[in-house]
Amino acid sequence: MEAEDRGHQNQDIDFLIAASPWPEDARSLIDDLGITDERRARAAAMLAGASRSMSKAVRRDPSLLGVLDPPADFATEKISLVAPDDDDALDGLRRWKRRQLLRIALRDLLGEADLPTVGRELSLLADACFVRALEIADEGPPLAIIGMGKLGGNELNYASDVDIVFAHEGDSAAAARRARKVLEILTAFSSEGQVYRVDIELRPEGGAGALSRTPEAFGTYFDRWAVPWERQAYIKTRLSAGDPDVANAFFDAIKPGVWGENMEADTVPHLRALKLRVEESAKLKGDRELKKGPGGLRDIEFTVQLLQLVHGRSDATIRSPNTLTALRQLSWGEYIDQADALHFTTAYIHLRTVEHRMQLRDERQTHELPTADADREWAARASGFEDLEAFQASHTRHQSSVREIHQRIFYRQTLDQMHDTGLVSELLPAHLGQLGFADTDRAVATIERLTENLGRRANVMQQVLVIMVEALATTPDPDLGLVRLAWLLDGSYRIGTILPVLRDSPIAISDIARLLGSSRVAAGWMRNHPEFACSLMSPDELAIPRTVEALMAEAIEAMHSAAGDHDLQMAELRRFVRREQLRVAARDILGLASIIEIPQELTIIADAAVAAAVDSLAPEMPFAVIGMGRYGGLDLSYASDLDVIFVYEGANSDDARAANRTARGLLQEIGAQTAEGRAWEIDARLRPEGENGQLARSLEGYQRYYAERGQLWERQSLLKRRFVAGDPELGQRFLQLADQWCYQPDFSEAEIDEIRTMKRRIEAERLGTGSKARDVKLGAGGLSDIEFTVQLMQLQHGFGRTSVRDNRTLPALSGLSEHNLLDIGDRATLDVGYRFCQRFRNARYHLSGLSSDVFPNDEHEELLLARRLGYPSTKDLEADYQEITEAVREVTDRLLYGEVK
């Protein structure tokens, strides 16, 4: 039968076959097995092209697909696994292992398990096989099988060798016999294959050493003879099977050797030399090498393990044998920059996923990409990419990013030289250049200016600046950061306040460097509030966000402290605002707050200031401030205006005049210019009739207006309404009125068209028809696309669905998804786009001090922006921007504009 004539009565299966990365293989396997069940068809379709060896096994024994049942069990990660105890012990173990391996592979291919889960389950499977091998082997002394390498890290591959060492108590000869028997069970071949290839070369003295040792013997070896690479290797150890008491004694015995306080002077040079030899061994394979080549897995693993060896001696919280967990620990401990840890994590997942796919194809150990174009195309599709070009672009970016970070951290030789000098004045321009300072002459001059005329403080400053210069070198703009440091320490009061902090707190040195080298705005705020440096000595306190209640109490107290002096009250309110904005900026730049928390924290600072201002004005009647736009949506950026409307309770002209006086007073108090600057631009133009309407309107007035003259754009704007300050009961009544008007049972096609027309008009008027501007707010795929898409869906579906009505964008996405109104993939696309655009806007403001949503025209400024966002180059930033915004625009075209491609 011709391929085009072949089909199934079940059209869903035909669709699955057509959607498969390898339709011909999928159809062949499904037809051969006579599969009519959609779930099994999906599994077979993925397996057909991904693994030739497993496809053959399923053809021989279709019952293997029984691992898919029951569905709930298949979808759940195994936390324990026990190999069966049957009469056919060895072949039974081999068959059971193969069946479990198929289960894990299918969970992987069908997206039921992510990379860390697959690694854990593969490691758990090995553990279970080792337990069974110990049971089959002869009785003997207590024996522990210690997982090493990827097994030790719970991150095993599909087809790699399994690294182990044996430890025992009691008779060594008997223990060796038992260990040897275990190895025979695991490695022997039969018609059912082999359980595992086992590597025992990591034991002391390698192939010449004893097969098993007592914990005491391990301890003696590490104390006397172990070399640095062995200390590195034994970071990745855990009990795989056997006696836990023996294992615990083993871990206690090797602990001083691996994590001892005194590190041999040759450790770092030894590991650097070893890394070079590893790279040399893979040189001929070029970028095809996933493991040992430049930008490969070994770059990540060696960097992580070197950091663990150096810092783990005094910090037990960063000793995890698992690479991804260790990266999180190192990031939390500030031993690696958060952005570097994120790039490493993303690249590691990519590289390991590709490695898994390569190994799964024939269950063969390999760590390199194929050379033939057809095989590379297969590798791209198997790894989840649409085509080879997309795969190669992503793969190259990951390799470049990994290589840059690895070389920057692993070969930090200039820092040792700086610490050897002891004094910053001894630094040569060449050293500063190696660290990344572009204008070394200016850097030297700035250092001289910082250290002159300080009297008894000079030596402290000299010592502090050695560390400070090192810290500045890791920031997006080291040169300007150093200049800002001189500006920050200009004046005896600032020096007297900040220098003791730098002297006593290495954490504060690092944090201040990051603030100065990352944000023009934060540097200016800190110059006006040098006392904030003391906050950086207590990172645990800075890590905790402040509550709106605490901020309101503090803002009101600031106003009361200057009672009777209106100008002083305004100045105190501005100081409060700037001090708290600096705190949020520090949490932002230091990675202590997420991109979701930052706008919320900026918003509640505004809430506190508005509440304090309303309190000082003492309204004569029930009066409420309603936040709108980004302010209403708890979504302020550093440069946002405050969009508000005012509502009061009253029925006569006296009430109206009094309410409008309060509203005007509030606009003046929040928006007035003082020595600390303007707290915010405050905008009340979203009120009915805009600038021509009353500044404050009664609740009944709003009700009449919305019922008789309200326009669709006003309904849309009210989706972001939120009570901010004033009379809570009145505020809630207004919100109920807004909900009733916004969320109606029917939303007509004409209204949908009006929303679309409005969006197109905004694009045309503000960007120009056909504009390709790289604008993260109004440009294609920017925040405006996301918000209009979400708000249209809220207007369509918000009636009767409370979770859909959330005035915050991301929770609204969640609500739409929970009600199956928004596909989970589309939700993820909009979520990623929203977070990217928010991070971009904040970083742009930090670097320039200006509100801007577009890419800089200056190449150097764009490079600084890329670095601030954690990208090694502008190309990487631009690639992410293009990829993310194109994906968002595609969703917007479908969901907002109704375009089907």
Side-chain angles (χ1 to χ4, degrees):
M1 184 181 294
E2 294 297 323
E4 57 266 26
D5 295 330
R6 298 169 67 186
H8 290 266
Q9 293 181 352
N10 188 334
Q11 293 183 349
D12 289 336
I13 292 181
D14 280 333
F15 176 77
L16 285 173
I17 292 172
S20 167
W22 25 76
E24 293 183 5
D25 294 332
R27 184 175 296 281
S28 174
L29 183 58
I30 290 171
D31 288 348
D32 288 351
L33 297 179
I35 294 175
T36 57
D37 173 72
E38 186 179 341
R39 218 169 140 262
R40 274 175 161 69
R42 181 179 289 106
M46 291 304 299
L47 189 66
S51 178
R52 293 182 290 212
S53 59
M54 288 189 176
S55 296
K56 290 178 183 176
V58 169
R59 277 189 167 91
R60 289 195 302 268
D61 183 5
S63 70
L64 286 173
L65 288 181
V67 298
L68 295 166
D69 300 317
D73 182 64
F74 177 75
T76 304
E77 178 181 355
K78 295 287 188 182
I79 58 173
S80 65
L81 206 57
V82 179
D85 180 5
D86 55 34
D87 294 335
D88 188 10
L90 296 184
D91 279 344
L93 178 61
R94 297 178 183 114
R95 287 191 294 269
W96 177 81
K97 183 251 184 175
R98 186 162 190 76
R99 188 178 186 87
Q100 294 302 317
L101 190 65
L102 175 64
R103 176 186 182 275
I104 296 168
L106 287 174
R107 278 172 44 76
D108 181 2
L109 294 170
L110 294 173
E112 296 284 357
D114 59 12
L115 177 82
T117 303
V118 171
R120 288 193 299 270
E121 291 200 335
L122 289 170
S123 301
L124 183 66
L125 176 57
D127 294 348
C129 291
F130 291 170
V131 170
R132 182 64 183 133
L134 280 170
E135 293 170 351
I136 297 171
D138 297 333
E139 290 293 327
L143 189 68
I145 301 177
I146 306 298
M148 303 285 292
K150 286 184 168 52
L151 176 62
N154 264 322
E155 51 196 17
L156 202 58
N157 281 337
Y158 281 106
S160 291
D161 293 349
V162 179
D163 295 305
I164 60 172
V165 297
F166 293 98
H168 70 273
E169 293 283 8
D171 185 270
S172 293
R177 286 194 297 272
R178 192 178 185 205
R180 196 168 292 111
K181 179 65 173 176
V182 167
L183 292 175
E184 290 172 1
I185 292 167
L186 294 170
T187 60
F189 281 94
S190 76
S191 60
E192 298 292 342
Q194 181 186 39
V195 182
Y196 283 106
R197 294 187 310 277
V198 179
D199 190 334
I200 53 174
E201 292 301 307
L202 290 178
R203 67 188 190 273
E205 302 177 273
L211 184 57
S212 180
R213 291 179 184 239
T214 64
E216 293 79 7
F218 274 101
T220 300
Y221 179 83
F222 270 87
D223 184 47
R224 297 180 182 177
W225 299 295
V227 293
W229 75 260
E230 290 175 302
R231 302 179 194 281
Q232 177 188 10
Y234 276 69
I235 292 174
K236 300 178 81 68
T237 56
R238 67 175 182 87
L239 174 62
S240 179
D243 193 293
D245 291 333
V246 174
N248 288 333
F250 164 84
F251 295 131
D252 288 341
I254 67 167
K255 183 177 178 180
V258 178
W259 306 111
E261 292 184 5
N262 297 318
M263 178 182 286
E264 290 86 347
D266 68 338
T267 297
V268 173
H270 177 102
L271 295 180
R272 286 173 175 162
L274 175 62
K275 181 63 171 63
L276 289 174
R277 291 198 297 274
V278 168
E279 290 181 17
E280 191 65 27
S281 69
K283 196 171 184 179
L284 295 178
K285 298 174 184 175
D287 63 358
R288 293 190 301 109
E289 173 62 48
L290 299 169
K291 184 176 180 180
K292 300 177 182 179
L297 289 163
R298 282 289 188 258
D299 275 7
I300 299 172
E301 292 164 348
F302 265 74
T303 303
V304 168
Q305 290 158 21
L306 179 61
L307 290 172
Q308 287 180 297
L309 282 175
V310 171
H311 300 293
R313 295 170 296 154
S314 57
D315 187 350
T317 67
I318 60 169
R319 297 177 182 175
S320 174
N322 180 274
T323 303
L324 292 179
T325 301
L327 272 170
R328 286 196 298 273
Q329 292 173 342
L330 289 165
S331 178
W332 292 337
E334 299 293 332
Y335 299 107
I336 185 172
D337 185 78
Q338 188 179 45
D340 290 341
L342 179 61
H343 279 291
F344 262 180
T345 297
T346 305
Y348 183 85
I349 290 172
H350 164 79
L351 292 167
R352 287 297 307 276
T353 298
V354 176
E355 184 184 52
H356 275 189
R357 296 297 175 266
M358 296 306 304
Q359 294 190 359
L360 195 56
R361 192 178 197 188
D362 294 303
E363 293 177 78
R364 181 177 63 86
Q365 183 178 16
T366 180
H367 307 288
E368 60 188 82
L369 292 170
T371 55
D373 288 344
D375 289 333
R376 291 176 75 88
E377 188 73 40
W378 170 88
R381 295 199 308 273
S383 301
F385 290 85
E386 185 175 345
D387 53 40
L388 180 56
E389 183 180 358
F391 167 79
Q392 194 60 53
S394 178
H395 187 65
T396 300
R397 283 174 53 203
H398 282 306
Q399 285 184 318
S400 299
S401 173
V402 167
R403 191 59 171 177
E404 187 274 331
I405 296 169
H406 167 72
Q407 291 184 313
R408 176 159 40 82
I409 296 175
F410 197 72
Y411 298 101
R412 198 177 286 171
Q413 296 170 340
T414 54
L415 302 185
D416 294 335
Q417 187 175 10
M418 285 177 61
H419 283 295
D420 288 341
T421 63
L423 298 176
V424 74
S425 59
E426 298 173 10
L427 286 176
L428 299 175
H431 300 159
L432 294 168
Q434 288 174 313
L435 280 171
F437 287 85
D439 190 339
T440 56
D441 291 338
R442 185 174 71 163
V444 170
T446 303
I447 289 170
E448 290 175 353
R449 188 165 72 252
L450 277 163
T451 54
E452 65 186 7
N453 301 322
L454 291 179
R456 58 185 176 82
R457 292 173 172 164
N459 283 338
V460 174
M461 181 66 84
Q462 287 265 6
Q463 294 163 356
V464 161
L465 283 178
V466 174
I467 307 171
M468 177 62 80
V469 167
E470 173 187 327
L472 283 170
T474 67
T475 67
D477 194 346
D479 293 85
L480 196 52
L482 189 58
V483 172
R484 288 171 185 152
L485 178 64
W487 183 54
L488 178 64
L489 295 176
D490 180 25
S492 59
Y493 170 70
R494 295 189 186 91
I495 291 177
T497 302
I498 296 174
L499 188 57
V501 175
L502 301 179
R503 178 197 62 203
D504 296 336
S505 175
I507 292 174
I509 293 176
S510 174
D511 289 351
I512 290 173
R514 289 173 68 181
L515 292 177
L516 298 177
S518 303
S519 175
R520 184 187 303 271
V521 175
W525 289 343
M526 194 167 179
R527 190 172 192 269
N528 290 336
H529 295 275
E531 70 281 358
F532 179 75
C534 298
S535 303
L536 299 174
M537 298 181 71
S538 304
D540 290 343
E541 293 181 15
L542 191 63
I544 301 171
R546 303 200 66 189
T547 65
V548 65
E549 293 79 13
L551 288 169
M552 282 184 179
E554 190 171 325
I556 291 172
E557 175 60 30
M559 296 283 279
H560 286 175
S561 68
D565 187 331
H566 181 263
D567 289 341
L568 185 57
Q569 276 190 319
M570 294 301 94
E572 286 299 319
L573 188 61
R574 300 302 180 278
R575 284 184 61 79
F576 161 80
V577 169
R578 289 291 180 256
R579 186 171 61 249
E580 291 305 319
Q581 287 177 326
L582 172 57
R583 189 177 191 277
V584 174
R587 284 171 45 74
D588 176 3
I589 293 165
L590 301 178
L592 299 175
S594 71
I595 195 58
I596 304 306
E597 293 171 314
I598 293 160
Q600 292 177 355
E601 292 180 28
L602 290 170
T603 301
I604 66 172
I605 295 170
D607 287 354
V610 171
V614 171
D615 177 79
S616 73
L617 292 166
E620 301 171 26
M621 80 297 295
F623 179 91
V625 182
I626 305 299
M628 301 284 284
R630 292 196 174 280
Y631 184 34
L634 285 163
D635 199 20
L636 287 184
S637 66
Y638 293 97
S640 292
D641 297 344
L642 301 188
D643 290 312
V644 296
I645 57 177
F646 306 108
V647 59
Y648 69 92
E649 184 79 85
N652 56 52
S653 58
D654 289 340
D655 291 332
R657 283 191 292 271
N660 277 277
R661 279 197 304 272
T662 300
R664 284 193 297 272
L666 183 62
L667 293 179
Q668 181 181 1
E669 294 203 356
I670 296 298
Q673 188 77 32
T674 72
E676 281 277 343
R678 179 182 285 110
W680 284 280
E681 295 280 355
I682 187 164
D683 189 339
R685 288 177 296 175
L686 289 176
R687 65 188 185 271
E689 301 174 342
E691 293 180 334
N692 298 320
Q694 302 172 37
L695 193 57
R697 190 176 289 252
S698 70
L699 183 64
E700 293 177 355
Y702 277 105
Q703 189 170 15
R704 284 195 303 274
Y705 175 83
Y706 291 145
E708 298 169 6
R709 290 184 290 158
Q711 300 179 49
L712 181 56
W713 74 264
E714 292 175 299
R715 279 176 66 189
Q716 182 181 359
S717 70
L718 276 175
L719 297 176
K720 290 286 190 181
R721 74 280 172 269
R722 181 175 64 87
F723 169 68
V724 169
D727 189 290
E729 191 272 336
L730 175 61
Q732 289 305 313
R733 288 166 60 200
F734 177 85
L735 297 184
Q736 291 171 4
L737 167 64
D739 276 356
Q740 291 170 3
W741 188 52
C742 287
Y743 299 109
Q744 300 177 19
D746 297 311
F747 195 73
S748 68
E749 284 296 323
E751 289 172 314
I752 293 173
D753 288 341
E754 187 176 343
I755 294 286
R756 291 169 174 168
T757 300
M758 188 185 338
K759 177 66 165 67
R760 290 191 178 100
R761 186 171 65 249
I762 290 172
E763 290 181 11
E765 290 176 356
R766 299 189 185 179
L767 288 177
T769 303
S771 171
K772 300 295 184 181
R774 297 185 300 172
D775 187 319
V776 300
K777 181 180 180 182
L778 299 174
L783 287 170
S784 179
D785 276 5
I786 297 168
E787 289 166 345
F788 260 82
T789 301
V790 171
Q791 289 163 20
L792 173 60
M793 297 185 76
Q794 287 181 300
L795 289 167
Q796 289 176 297
H797 307 294
F799 182 79
R801 297 182 176 97
T802 303
S803 62
V804 170
R805 302 180 183 184
D806 204 297
N807 59 344
R808 299 165 297 166
T809 301
L810 294 186
L813 283 173
S814 298
L816 290 165
S817 182
E818 287 169 8
H819 286 281
N820 295 319
L821 300 168
L822 180 65
D823 177 81
I824 190 170
D826 291 341
R827 172 192 168 183
T829 296
L830 297 180
D831 186 290
V832 169
Y834 182 87
R835 292 170 190 263
F836 175 86
C837 292
Q838 289 286 65
R839 288 182 64 237
F840 181 100
R841 299 181 83 206
N842 286 348
R844 189 83 167 87
Y845 183 70
H846 276 304
L847 288 169
S848 67
L850 302 172
S851 176
S852 177
D853 302 311
V854 300
F855 276 71
N857 292 323
D858 182 83
E859 291 182 6
H860 181 65
E861 286 185 17
E862 186 177 347
L863 177 60
L864 296 180
L865 177 63
R867 290 174 179 171
R868 172 69 183 87
L869 290 168
Y871 295 93
S873 70
T874 56
K875 288 184 179 179
D876 291 300
L877 169 60
E878 291 167 356
D880 257 9
Y881 167 80
Q882 182 174 350
E883 182 179 340
I884 290 169
T885 54
E886 284 179 354
V888 168
R889 188 62 175 192
E890 189 277 328
V891 174
T892 301
D893 286 340
R894 279 190 290 107
L895 301 185
L896 175 64
Y897 292 121
E899 298 177 6
V900 179
K901 296 182 179 180

